[in-house]
Amino acid sequence: MLVKTEPNLQQAPQVNAIADKMLKYSNRFVTLLEERSGTSKGRLINISDRQRMFSQRIAKFYVFKAWGLDTDEYCAECDKAVKEFSDALETLKKAPENTPEINEALDKVQTDWNTFKISFSIRGGKFIPSLVTRSLDNILKQMDRITAMYVAIY
């Protein structure tokens, strides 16, 4: 089973294909839940939940890049995920439904996102996977908490 093996370069395309398939099905499920709710809060729950996915997707592509898997396809997918995360974070920060606690938590996400962007922009073949993945894991945890806060105000 792939999950129980040590990470290695040869399995990266297979891992990516599995992750993309899971993303597709998860996204469809969450979109159906949002449509079913029919509320702006349901939309915010969906957006905040997707932020968790984007953080892990970006981390995956960064690690691939550090491993030398710097394909045009992976770079384009990573850039797309970074843009979607940035856009969604701005949408969440402007939501009138936000409580002071949600705004404070989103500010913390913004701080970690800024740290990520600085370390992500380092070029010249230098990679800092531990810093990048730590920032993105913090974002994952914070977005999990924020998603729960949006559910609570539902």
Side-chain angles (χ1 to χ4, degrees):
M1 178 176 266
L2 188 60
V3 169
K4 294 182 180 182
T5 63
E6 288 289 321
N8 71 62
L9 192 59
Q10 291 74 33
Q11 292 177 333
Q14 185 180 1
V15 169
N16 190 56
I18 292 168
D20 283 350
K21 185 182 258 186
M22 184 168 206
L23 169 65
K24 176 183 168 189
Y25 292 128
S26 298
N27 186 52
R28 181 67 184 135
F29 176 72
V30 173
T31 300
L32 288 170
L33 289 175
E34 176 187 346
E35 290 170 2
R36 174 109 187 205
S37 79
T39 68
S40 63
K41 291 175 191 153
R43 181 174 170 271
L44 294 173
I45 292 166
N46 185 9
I47 292 170
S48 64
D49 190 57
R50 286 179 53 84
Q51 293 296 78
R52 300 183 307 175
M53 175 274 301
F54 284 131
S55 71
Q56 298 307 286
R57 186 166 175 78
I58 294 164
K60 173 188 71 173
F61 286 122
Y62 185 86
V63 169
F64 282 1
K65 208 177 249 198
W67 280 359
L69 295 173
D70 207 5
T71 69
D72 290 342
E73 178 187 352
Y74 291 166
C75 288
E77 287 295 318
C78 185
D79 290 346
K80 180 181 174 188
V82 167
K83 181 178 180 349
E84 289 187 45
F85 185 96
S86 289
D87 292 349
L89 183 56
E90 287 306 310
T91 297
L92 291 174
K93 288 169 57 177
K94 293 176 184 173
E97 296 88 348
N98 289 355
T99 64
E101 293 81 15
I102 291 173
N103 285 329
E104 182 179 328
L106 288 169
D107 287 343
K108 289 178 183 175
V109 169
Q110 184 69 60
T111 298
D112 280 329
W113 184 241
N114 292 341
T115 300
F116 158 76
K117 288 191 303 187
I118 290 167
S119 55
F120 185 72
S121 66
I122 295 173
R123 300 286 185 225
K126 296 182 185 203
F127 295 94
I128 314 168
S130 60
L131 179 60
V132 168
T133 56
R134 190 174 327 120
S135 294
L136 292 169
D137 282 346
N138 285 341
I139 289 171
L140 170 71
K141 291 172 188 163
Q142 292 166 14
M143 291 310 305
D144 190 44
R145 186 171 156 257
I146 291 167
T147 300
M149 285 190 251
Y150 280 125
V151 168
I153 62 170
Y154 196 136

